[in-house]
Amino acid sequence: ALKKQNEEAGEEWTVPELTCEKCIDLNEDTFLETVENNNLRDDSLLLLEFYSPFCGSCQEFAPVLNRLADYQIPNTIVARFDITEQNIPKYNNQELFQVESTPTLYLVGHSPSFYAEMYSGKHEFDAILQWLTKKRNSR
């Protein structure tokens, strides 16, 4: 839809850039290093967004993700993975991360053992922050 809008307006089509200065941008090479080895301490969490720069909902969500990253939730790293450019790597030969629509958020941790939980609430700052706080406090 975005490409068509640009073409109809006679504008050159470019991939939208969704910036997040404090987010870690993952790719197929860095994904497993970050998720599996996690580069995290035992008490740290990884908030992971799967997104597409072409997705209108992802464009609307980008400021929320930026705000979450800026908020500096204790021991929480915010990362994202562009699903339009690459395939989601498997974890231990399993397709652990299921992405049916974007944006999709997961919370990844290693305490007491590896887990990845998909977020299913509203894609709003307060709702996500409350979910993260609840998850952190329940560990």
Side-chain angles (χ1 to χ4, degrees), residues 3 5-14:
K3 183 177 181 181
Q5 287 175 348
N6 280 53
E7 288 172 349
E8 288 174 355
E11 298 172 1
E12 184 179 328
W13 170 244
T14 57

Side-chain angles (χ1 to χ4, degrees), residues 1-73:
L2 294 172
K3 183 177 181 181
K4 186 176 180 179
Q5 287 175 348
N6 280 53
E7 288 172 349
E8 288 174 355
E11 298 172 1
E12 184 179 328
W13 170 244
T14 57
V15 176
E17 186 175 328
L18 302 181
T19 58
C20 185
E21 292 179 12
K22 293 186 180 174
C23 295
I24 299 171
D25 285 308
L26 301 178
N27 58 43
E28 287 179 280
D29 295 329
T30 60
F31 185 84
L32 288 179
E33 177 184 326
T34 304
V35 172
E36 190 172 55
N37 300 331
N38 217 339
N39 291 342
L40 302 174
R41 298 188 311 262
D42 287 339
D43 63 340
S44 294
L45 297 173
L46 174 70
L47 178 63
L48 176 58
E49 177 200 24
F50 294 96
Y51 77 101
S52 164
F54 300 100
C55 163
S57 295
C58 296
Q59 292 173 11
E60 291 173 11
F61 181 67
V64 175
L65 189 68
N66 272 295
R67 189 170 168 206
L68 287 163
D70 284 341
Y71 194 76
Q72 298 180 355
I73 304 158

